[in-house]
Amino acid sequence: NAGVMQNPRHLVRRRGQEARLRCSPMKGHSHVYWYRQLPEEGLKFMVYLQKENIIDESGMPKERFSAEFPKEGPSILRIQQVVRGDSAAYFCASSRSQGAYGNTIYFGEGSWLTVV
Amino acid sequence: DAKTTQPTSMDCAEGRAANLPCNHSTISGNEYVYWYRQIHSQGPQYIIHGLKNNETNEMASLIITEDRKSSTLILPHATLRDTAVYYCIVRVEGGGSNYKLTFGKGTLLTVNP
């Protein structure tokens, strides 16, 4: 059973460009979470999605960041007009449900964004 | 989610048991204790979780005190590859608004040869 798959693993963007990070959840998982880890800092929640719905985006910066989890295909975290402060590791995680059982959250290996 | 308190860092000799403590004195009756770890430059890895009974899997054992105010993660035979930051998190199982994991600073465990 493949784990949470993220790509690209490493991405370099110039200031002002767009970054798109993709996440395929574990098989059978329909809940996706995105976290960000700035250099030398802790993991911070960004957004929680179910298929075609954003449930909680309380941790997303108000501008330039968006996330989606379409009916078909991976979840996408999109960062428009990147700035140096966006350089970080972005982790995707997934769970089977939100209910009483099966909602252990599993993480991918991360996408490392460097803005130059 | 209830707040947890963990030591900032710990050392352990290779081959010995590593015992990582966590205090969660304000834990509620429906909150589980989860442990994750993050090896440098990797994603967080789920280790184990429990409610009130002790739990064991292929990676570790989790000992929860009877009053549930603290717990200990035990790695029975630590290896160099167990060097990582270990996070203790309490979380409601069963939906509601506490679906997400809130990470603190964790404990940096260094396993020495």
Side-chain angles (χ1 to χ4, degrees):
Chain A
N1 190 13
V4 178
M5 304 300 292
Q6 292 188 247
N7 67 82
R9 291 295 313 280
H10 298 275
L11 182 64
V12 179
R13 284 288 177 266
R14 296 187 184 278
R15 282 177 294 170
Q17 290 185 320
E18 178 180 288
R20 285 195 179 215
L21 309 177
R22 289 176 292 276
C23 170
S24 295
M26 288 178 68
K27 186 176 180 180
H29 286 195
S30 59
H31 298 246
V32 166
Y33 314 77
W34 285 93
Y35 283 74
R36 178 167 68 172
Q37 189 168 35
L38 294 167
E40 306 305 321
E41 293 190 17
L43 289 144
K44 301 296 184 187
F45 168 81
M46 298 181 75
V47 63
Y48 163 47
L49 311 101
Q50 295 178 22
K51 284 285 187 181
E52 300 184 280
N53 288 303
I54 297 174
I55 307 301
D56 179 358
E57 55 182 348
S58 60
M60 288 275 272
K62 293 289 186 281
E63 298 177 348
R64 303 186 297 107
F65 285 72
S66 63
E68 62 176 10
F69 188 18
K71 186 177 180 181
E72 301 290 338
S75 175
I76 305 288
L77 180 68
R78 182 183 179 204
I79 311 171
Q80 295 178 289
Q81 299 176 314
V82 296
V83 301
R84 288 225 172 102
D86 297 332
S87 295
Y90 292 83
F91 294 100
C92 174
S94 73
S95 65
R96 185 181 305 277
S97 71
Q98 191 184 317
Y101 302 101
N103 70 343
T104 298
I105 296 175
Y106 298 92
F107 285 80
E109 289 300 321
S111 290
W112 266 256
L113 172 65
T114 302
V115 180
V116 297
Chain B
D1 290 339
K3 190 172 180 179
T4 62
T5 304
Q6 299 178 250
T8 302
S9 63
M10 295 182 64
D11 286 307
C12 177
E14 189 178 18
R16 305 298 293 266
N19 297 284
L20 294 97
C22 178
N23 287 319
H24 32 79
S25 58
T26 60
I27 193 170
S28 300
N30 62 347
E31 286 183 313
Y32 283 65
V33 180
Y34 279 78
W35 283 84
Y36 284 78
R37 73 179 182 184
Q38 187 175 24
I39 296 169
H40 186 61
S41 296
Q42 295 185 21
Q45 179 185 21
Y46 165 77
I47 301 173
I48 198 167
H49 75 284
L51 183 63
K52 52 184 176 183
N53 297 321
N54 297 338
E55 301 288 345
T56 296
N57 62 21
E58 65 278 3
M59 289 184 67
S61 294
L62 174 60
I63 308 298
I64 302 174
T65 57
E66 193 168 340
D67 63 7
R68 304 211 321 121
K69 293 185 177 182
S70 66
S71 60
T72 301
L73 179 74
I74 301 172
L75 308 178
H77 306 285
T79 70
L80 299 179
R81 282 180 284 188
D82 291 322
T83 293
V85 178
Y86 287 76
Y87 298 98
C88 170
I89 301 167
V90 294
R91 174 177 174 243
V92 171
E93 187 121 334
S97 62
N98 294 313
Y99 39 76
K100 60 194 176 193
L101 297 167
T102 301
F103 288 84
K105 297 186 184 301
T107 296
L108 173 59
L109 174 69
T110 302
V111 181
N112 300 304

